[in-house]
Amino acid sequence: MVNLNLSVLSGTHNLKSVTLSFRIPYFTQWGQQILVCGSEPILGSWNVKRGLLLSPSHQNDELIWCGSIPVPSEFACEYHYYVVDDDRNVLRSEIGDKRKLSLPDGIQSGQEVELHDLWKTGSDSLPFRSAFKNVIFRRSWSSDDKKPVGVTDSDIVKKALSPGSVIVQFKVCCPNVQGASIHVIGSSLKLGQWKAQGGLKLSYTGESVWQGSCVMQKKDFPLTYPLVALILESGPNREATVNISRGQSTYIVRADGLMRETPWRGAGVAIPMFSVRSEEDMGVGEFLDLKLLVDWAVHSGFHLVQLLPINDTSVHQMWWDSYPYSSLSVFALHPLYLRVQALSDNIPEDIKKEIEQARMKLDRKDVDYEATMGTKLSIAKKVFRLEKDTILNSSSFQKFFAENKDWLKPYAAFSFLRDFFETSERSQWGSYAIFSESKLEKLVAEDSLQYDVICFHYYIQFHLHMQLSEAAEYARKNGVILKGDLPIGVDRNSVDTWVYPDLFRMNTSTGAPPDYFDKNGQNWGFPTYNWEEMSKDNYAWWRARLTQMAKYFTAYRIDHILGFFRIWELPDHAVTGLCGKFRPSIPLSQEELEIEGIWDFDRLICPRIKRALLEEKFGASWTTVASIFLNESQKDIYGFKEDCNTEKKILAKLKSCLEKSMLFETEEKLRRQLFDLLKDIVLIRDPEDSRKYYPRFNMEDTSCFKELDQRSQNVLKRLYYDYYFHRQESLWRQNAMKTLPVLLNSSDMLACGEDLGLIPSCVHPVMQELGLIGLRIQRMPNEADLEFGIPSQYPYMTVCAPSCHDCSTLRAWWEEDEDRRRRFFKTFLGSNGLPPDQCTPEIAYFILRQHIESPSMWSIFPLQDLLALKEEYSTRPAAEETINDPTNPKHYWRYRVHMTLESLLKDKDLITVIKDLVRGSGRSYPSKELELSQEAVVPDKQHVANGQAKAPQATSTNLSSKKEIAAVV
């Protein structure tokens, strides 16, 4: 790079100087400006405060920002555009890699180089994500080493020496062009006068970029043109302008961004790893089963397989660990998914017999978590003893260990300590309760007594890595994206909280406020993150997580993406999820409340329980309950005793009383009633600042609020809505823009965000800006005035699905509520008739078709919903197909598909129905499917109107209209 001093440049006349101009269209708001900053001093050396401010001007309907600097002819740099305020504080920046600039050879002093750029958004970078680059468009990108040789820019520059001539270089990204050429056509003779045959043919330069240059005269401008590749690109013509008043020749670099193709759309299937069933597995789905699942996906026309988290969750070493979002380690894979018969090619016959017997015994309707884990680890230890020296000394293991030792050694040490002390609760580990590198090295030392145990954990993780890598590579080669899941939290007693305690707020708990999933809120039990501490090393822990995931996955789901804007934080003494606060958030100050006439804080933050309410709740037992849990503060007014003033204290007291037979009510009923009394408050005092308060969620439902005078109620309602829906938006946007870009830049995986629940208004604009794909579930519409989402109106940057793992399946949802079923039938089928009680294949087909024909980039269906297309697969009670019940914190995650993948692969009828759905929607499907089915036909190009994808109607089924569906059912 050439270091350039502007003052020297402007004062030295014999320096070979070129005018470098920047031009970018961008609509800003009042008080905002566009600035370009780059790697060289003249562009600020990446110090935005010293970058080049551009000047705005209106050109037709666009706001164009321009600026110029003199540079030497050999100038080269990297640069980026920013939106700044009047003080040059960055408000927004482009998404993606820095732009690279190198002036063409042969450029002469006095000439001008104009950079005509377009603002790079998050969605512009999607084709460069591994899901597309290495999977969907892999054939296009595989030609990168076959770059054609064309006329160089320097050749053209040397020929274009006449004053007033203009050299235009066209650059466009087109990742989905296979075996086709790209032309620029326009009214100019050099552009073929609107005929592709005479247009400028672009050359492929690698990385999915096509480029070409031609010489024009200024009289040819303004220049309008589209791009052509097989078909004319969609949208209005592009336009290039030049300053005709300048006499010198000009070199224009047109960075035209992405070619405007019909929006790419695909489909996929979602199923937890543990739910898969095959003829080879042992009681649970295994990583190597993914190869069969990929085969089924390809046959069915699916480009994607989505899983739930697959990290080790062995905290309690019982069925509670079936919860896949409570990670023991965010890096280690779960031994549950190990195929023990693949550990070695030389397994003795007695162990083979044991494996076969275990497979038969564990082949049950649902997962038996404890039996399966115990059996697999027992067999794996036997194989380990036989081949540990061979494996541990192999080059492949040594390579794995070297690349993963930073997390592998702490994980193995933690697992050993957990087993030795029979608990993951670190307070029981004596001197090992506090982590240190010296203690770690002592635990994993080769001369230690437990070294074989440590190596066993290395061995298991190595084989899990090998098996998952084999499945992931198989998916990539077959054009199928493997999509993982990034949990929002880690278990309180995890390797990560042991090694990095400063990164977590261990006195708090993570959850969600009341929403569709749970009207009382959720408490997941994970500690919240110390974002301030994490930012000190640029979120290295998060970056390492994403790097590890990218070894196996080409796409991922960000669990509870709302938590990166703000998290629902609860005190560690909470059991339920109602009485929390958002972190970060701007609280209500005591001064603010006092100005509004709110001053009786003790009444608002502490339960004030009247005798009449106790009699109503507990009947004749109220005196017993009051004597155990309450103190009478005033005549017939009660409050909780010190040893019962939190939910966890109430649980402990309840347990003690029930053991002594002091109470006659059931524990569940008493717990619920006492919790309701404890939560009967209006404000929550900040535990770290006694002069700050937070309004309790749904405070208007409390008797404490209802007893206030009307003026106080009105004041508190206004402050409540300000806290939850107005004052935080700017803060939450800033918080997300600090963390989410780091995640996105940590890998090249395609990122999707689970944006369900109470959604702040800043969330969707941020996701759109960053190129994050959102989620739409039909029964949980974003629109407040809709009961059911309308798939045909979903935005393109979304994943749509009829259900997900956190709610009932399509069949179960249909059968749950008769009135809702009738409303859906009326809304979407226009029928006043009585809908069937069961979700028939015709109903399932109609709902699935709604989704697959939507404009959403992805339609991803739970496997259970796809099986509803065939009546014989719907004999199992629908409720048993539900993966998770969010209202139950101790839910057993154990659902298994009742047929094997091998049998599904043989079911040509089901495959044909699904395949026809995909084809008829105009969605893409794996090209290998053409080899699998001789009658396969490439779907017609879908139409585009106003930038929205419009899918043609399906023609592969007789049930092609709402009326026909209604008539059948």
Side-chain angles (χ1 to χ4, degrees):
M1 293 292 180
V2 178
N3 288 321
L4 189 66
N5 185 296
L6 183 58
S7 60
V8 173
L9 182 66
S10 59
T12 305
H13 298 289
N14 60 357
L15 185 62
K16 196 175 181 182
S17 175
V18 175
T19 300
L20 178 63
S21 299
F22 299 89
R23 179 187 186 278
I24 186 168
Y26 191 92
F27 281 104
T28 55
Q29 298 177 358
W30 184 259
Q32 296 179 347
Q33 300 180 78
I34 300 295
L35 176 147
V36 60
C37 186
S39 55
E40 292 301 298
I42 196 170
L43 290 176
S45 298
W46 295 123
N47 182 346
V48 176
K49 300 286 187 182
R50 296 166 53 200
L52 173 67
L53 277 176
L54 306 183
S55 301
S57 64
H58 286 279
Q59 184 175 348
N60 297 326
D61 295 331
E62 291 186 311
L63 184 63
I64 307 296
W65 294 82
C66 300
S68 299
I69 52 173
V71 297
S73 58
E74 66 272 20
F75 184 73
C77 73
E78 293 183 334
Y79 68 100
H80 217 51
Y81 290 102
Y82 300 84
V83 178
V84 298
D85 61 18
D86 291 336
D87 296 321
R88 298 199 177 200
N89 297 311
V90 176
L91 304 177
R92 186 174 294 112
S93 65
E94 290 187 289
I95 306 299
D97 296 335
K98 301 292 190 292
R99 300 172 185 267
K100 290 179 169 57
L101 168 66
S102 180
L103 297 187
D105 294 336
I107 199 79
Q108 296 183 8
S109 179
Q111 292 182 324
E112 181 176 10
V113 176
E114 293 186 11
L115 305 179
H116 291 204
D117 292 325
L118 296 176
W119 185 272
K120 294 198 297 185
T121 66
S123 58
D124 292 335
S125 66
L126 294 186
F128 299 91
R129 296 289 178 180
S130 58
F132 290 106
K133 178 180 177 180
N134 299 333
V135 183
I136 305 299
F137 303 147
R138 67 195 184 286
R139 286 184 175 85
S140 299
W141 288 76
S142 64
S143 62
D144 275 7
D145 57 346
K146 302 175 183 177
K147 303 175 185 178
V149 178
V151 179
T152 65
D153 291 332
S154 59
D155 294 333
I156 296 177
V157 169
K158 291 173 183 177
K159 294 178 182 178
L161 300 177
S162 60
S165 61
V166 180
I167 306 167
V168 183
Q169 181 192 88
F170 299 91
K171 293 175 65 175
V172 65
C173 176
C174 192
N176 194 23
V177 171
Q178 298 184 22
S181 57
I182 299 179
H183 292 76
V184 181
I185 64 172
S187 57
S188 167
L189 182 63
K190 293 291 183 70
L191 298 183
Q193 294 180 320
W194 300 109
K195 295 179 181 179
Q197 295 86 343
L200 175 65
K201 184 178 179 180
L202 304 186
S203 298
Y204 185 64
T205 63
E207 292 289 304
S208 204
V209 173
W210 300 71
Q211 180 176 310
S213 301
C214 65
V215 180
M216 295 184 176
Q217 299 302 313
K218 290 191 175 181
K219 63 183 178 59
D220 295 322
F221 290 84
L223 181 68
T224 59
Y225 63 95
L227 301 171
V228 177
L230 295 180
I231 60 172
L232 193 68
E233 71 171 341
S234 59
N237 288 336
R238 303 171 187 261
E239 183 172 306
T241 60
V242 67
N243 189 341
I244 61 175
S245 64
R246 296 177 183 171
Q248 72 270 33
S249 59
T250 304
Y251 191 104
I252 296 176
V253 179
R254 293 283 302 175
D256 278 316
L258 290 171
M259 184 171 179
R260 296 192 295 256
E261 302 177 89
T262 300
W264 185 96
R265 294 154 63 240
V269 59
I271 188 71
M273 190 71 259
F274 58 80
S275 298
V276 170
R277 188 186 297 268
S278 77
E279 294 175 2
E280 296 295 321
D281 69 48
M282 184 184 289
V284 70
E286 298 167 346
F287 287 147
L288 289 177
D289 290 328
L290 289 171
K291 296 169 75 174
L292 283 174
L293 186 56
V294 165
D295 286 341
W296 184 83
V298 171
H299 277 276
S300 302
F302 290 141
H303 258 308
L304 182 146
V305 168
Q306 177 172 325
L307 304 176
L308 294 188
I310 54 172
N311 295 111
D312 192 356
T313 58
S314 307
V315 175
H316 307 283
Q317 296 191 293
M318 58 179 293
W319 68 263
W320 287 1
D321 297 335
S322 67
Y323 181 26
Y325 288 89
S326 187
S327 305
L328 174 81
S329 165
V330 298
F331 301 101
L333 298 171
H334 207 309
L336 186 69
Y337 306 127
L338 181 72
R339 178 157 294 171
V340 292
Q341 57 266 47
L343 289 175
S344 173
D345 294 329
N346 303 304
I347 297 178
E349 288 300 319
D350 60 328
I351 298 180
K352 286 183 179 179
K353 185 176 180 180
E354 183 182 357
I355 290 172
E356 189 58 30
Q357 291 174 343
R359 285 186 56 257
M360 299 292 290
K361 182 180 179 181
L362 293 170
D363 187 21
R364 303 172 185 174
K365 183 178 75 170
D366 296 311
V367 177
D368 186 331
Y369 182 91
E370 294 173 24
T372 302
M373 274 290 288
T375 302
K376 286 196 173 191
L377 290 177
S378 174
I379 294 173
K381 286 176 182 177
K382 295 176 182 179
V383 180
F384 169 71
R385 294 189 191 104
L386 296 174
E387 64 163 18
K388 62 181 180 182
D389 292 335
T390 303
I391 294 297
L392 298 180
N393 291 317
S394 67
S395 59
S396 55
F397 174 82
Q398 293 296 329
K399 181 176 184 291
F400 167 77
F401 184 81
E403 292 175 353
N404 296 277
K405 62 184 179 181
D406 289 345
W407 66 263
L408 187 58
K409 289 161 67 174
Y411 166 77
F414 185 100
S415 299
F416 163 73
L417 293 169
R418 173 202 60 202
D419 297 344
F420 181 83
F421 290 104
E422 298 183 337
T423 180
S424 294
E425 175 53 61
R426 299 191 297 276
S427 63
Q428 308 300 311
W429 289 1
S431 62
Y432 290 107
I434 306 298
F435 174 85
S436 72
E437 287 291 340
S438 59
K439 293 175 187 176
L440 173 64
E441 292 305 321
K442 181 179 178 181
L443 284 167
V444 301
E446 293 186 21
D447 59 353
S448 65
L449 294 175
Q450 68 273 3
Y451 188 62
D452 257 14
V453 178
I454 296 294
C455 286
F456 176 68
H457 294 296
Y458 295 164
Y459 171 84
I460 293 295
Q461 287 301 312
F462 168 68
H463 279 288
L464 287 166
H465 163 73
M466 297 297 287
Q467 292 181 13
L468 181 55
S469 296
E470 179 181 334
E473 181 60 24
Y474 186 84
R476 278 191 288 269
K477 286 183 177 180
N478 284 276
V480 174
I481 295 166
L482 200 58
K483 182 180 177 183
D485 198 319
L486 183 74
I488 185 63
V490 300
D491 197 278
R492 189 173 299 277
N493 296 309
S494 66
V495 181
D496 301 278
T497 58
W498 181 49
V499 178
Y500 308 107
D502 292 343
L503 301 185
F504 304 90
R505 289 169 54 83
M506 297 299 293
N507 62 337
T508 66
S509 185
T510 304
D515 56 17
Y516 176 93
F517 297 108
D518 193 332
K519 305 305 180 186
N520 294 310
Q522 300 174 62
N523 185 343
W524 302 322
F526 314 134
T528 58
Y529 295 118
N530 184 347
W531 291 111
E532 294 78 12
E533 187 67 26
M534 287 181 162
S535 68
K536 292 178 181 178
D537 59 5
N538 195 27
Y539 310 97
W541 181 77
W542 283 102
R543 289 186 283 113
R545 287 183 72 179
L546 271 297
T547 300
Q548 187 72 9
M549 279 191 76
K551 294 178 180 178
Y552 314 110
F553 299 105
T554 48
Y556 67 106
R557 167 188 177 271
I558 302 175
D559 175 42
H560 193 62
I561 196 172
L562 305 183
F564 291 90
F565 292 79
R566 81 293 184 272
I567 198 70
W568 188 245
E569 186 176 75
L570 301 149
D572 61 351
H573 56 68
V575 175
T576 62
L578 184 63
C579 291
K581 63 182 177 65
F582 284 124
R583 178 180 173 84
S585 66
I586 303 169
L588 308 177
S589 67
Q590 185 165 324
E591 293 79 9
E592 180 180 9
L593 290 163
E594 288 174 344
I595 290 172
E596 296 283 1
I598 305 297
W599 54 271
D600 192 356
F601 296 105
D602 287 341
R603 178 184 178 186
L604 299 176
I605 66 173
C606 298
R608 191 170 179 269
I609 308 163
K610 294 184 177 180
R611 171 177 169 173
L613 182 59
L614 293 173
E615 292 175 342
E616 177 187 335
K617 279 187 173 292
F618 303 104
S621 302
W622 82 267
T623 53
T624 303
V625 172
S627 65
I628 296 172
F629 296 96
L630 307 173
N631 284 325
E632 188 174 17
S633 56
Q634 301 175 35
K635 176 66 175 175
D636 292 336
I637 302 293
Y638 295 82
F640 279 91
K641 293 181 177 179
E642 181 67 27
D643 62 349
C644 306
N645 63 359
T646 71
E647 290 178 335
K648 285 189 176 178
K649 288 180 180 179
I650 288 175
L651 284 184
K653 194 67 170 283
L654 268 176
K655 182 178 180 181
S656 173
C657 292
L658 289 169
E659 288 173 353
K660 299 175 183 177
S661 301
M662 298 173 62
L663 296 167
F664 304 102
E665 300 279 359
T666 63
E667 180 180 5
E668 173 62 24
K669 183 178 178 181
L670 275 173
R671 180 190 67 82
R672 186 173 63 254
Q673 291 172 326
L674 289 167
F675 281 7
D676 286 345
L677 292 176
L678 187 66
K679 293 181 286 192
D680 192 13
I681 56 177
V682 170
L683 296 177
I684 299 169
R685 177 176 277 162
D686 192 318
E688 298 171 9
D689 189 335
S690 62
R691 296 184 66 81
K692 294 179 180 177
Y693 299 87
Y694 306 88
R696 201 214 81 163
F697 203 91
N698 289 341
M699 68 178 186
E700 293 178 49
D701 296 339
T702 65
S703 59
C704 180
F705 179 85
K706 293 173 182 176
E707 291 171 1
L708 296 173
D709 61 87
Q710 189 63 51
R711 191 198 67 82
S712 296
Q713 287 186 1
N714 291 339
V715 167
L716 288 168
K717 280 195 288 188
R718 176 165 47 80
L719 293 174
Y720 175 95
Y721 285 101
D722 181 56
Y723 174 82
Y724 281 104
F725 303 110
H726 295 291
R727 70 165 65 186
Q728 318 295 347
E729 294 296 328
S730 177
L731 173 65
W732 289 345
R733 174 190 159 79
Q734 293 172 18
N735 198 54
M737 292 304 287
K738 291 176 184 176
T739 54
L740 287 175
V742 175
L743 265 67
L744 297 178
N745 294 330
S746 298
S747 78
D748 62 354
M749 292 184 290
L750 179 68
C752 306
E754 182 259 293
D755 52 345
L756 303 176
L758 185 67
I759 307 173
S761 60
C762 63
V763 169
H764 290 149
V766 167
M767 292 181 66
Q768 182 177 5
E769 181 177 338
L770 297 178
L772 281 159
I773 302 168
L775 178 61
R776 298 294 181 272
I777 304 295
Q778 189 170 26
R779 68 190 74 173
M780 310 173 203
N782 287 340
E783 300 82 0
D785 58 335
L786 292 180
E787 182 179 11
F788 313 109
I790 304 174
S792 63
Q793 297 179 6
Y794 289 159
Y796 173 67
M797 289 289 289
T798 55
V799 171
C800 71
S803 69
C804 65
H805 68 274
D806 272 332
C807 60
S808 55
T809 62
L810 177 57
R811 280 206 307 134
W813 176 79
W814 184 266
E815 298 169 11
E816 284 167 357
D817 189 321
E818 180 180 353
D819 291 336
R820 182 181 62 198
R821 188 164 62 234
R822 288 184 178 184
R823 293 192 300 273
F824 183 91
F825 204 66
K826 171 67 174 175
T827 301
F828 288 105
L829 281 88
S831 173
N832 290 314
L834 189 64
D837 295 337
Q838 305 297 312
C839 183
T840 64
E842 291 80 12
I843 289 293
Y845 183 92
F846 175 76
I847 295 175
L848 295 182
R849 194 176 121 184
Q850 276 189 309
H851 288 75
I852 205 155
E853 291 183 352
S854 75
S856 298
M857 179 189 293
W858 287 102
S859 293
I860 301 178
F861 302 103
L863 182 58
Q864 305 96 298
D865 292 349
L866 293 167
L867 297 180
L869 289 167
K870 195 161 184 179
E871 193 167 359
E872 67 182 79
Y873 294 152
S874 302
T875 56
R876 185 174 184 173
E880 293 183 3
E881 295 183 336
T882 298
I883 303 296
N884 177 39
D885 176 8
T887 66
N888 179 10
K890 293 300 181 185
H891 176 75
Y892 196 166
W893 299 60
R894 62 186 315 195
Y895 165 74
R896 294 194 78 192
V897 179
H898 54 285
M899 72 286 300
T900 65
L901 289 170
E902 290 87 349
S903 64
L904 283 177
L905 275 164
K906 295 175 183 176
D907 191 336
K908 301 302 181 185
D909 292 338
L910 179 64
I911 286 175
T912 298
V913 171
I914 297 173
K915 185 168 57 179
D916 287 346
L917 268 173
V918 177
R919 288 182 184 167
S921 70
R923 290 185 180 270
S924 172
Y925 50 82
S927 57
K928 187 178 179 182
E929 199 271 337
L930 296 173
E931 303 165 17
L932 298 168
S933 175
Q934 292 182 355
E935 74 278 6
V937 178
V938 178
D940 293 333
K941 285 278 187 177
Q942 63 208 48
H943 304 292
V944 175
N946 299 324
Q948 289 287 333
K950 299 290 184 181
Q953 295 297 306
T955 57
S956 57
T957 173
N958 292 328
L959 301 175
S960 59
S961 71
K962 293 186 289 184
K963 290 183 179 178
E964 289 172 348
I965 294 283
V968 169
V969 301

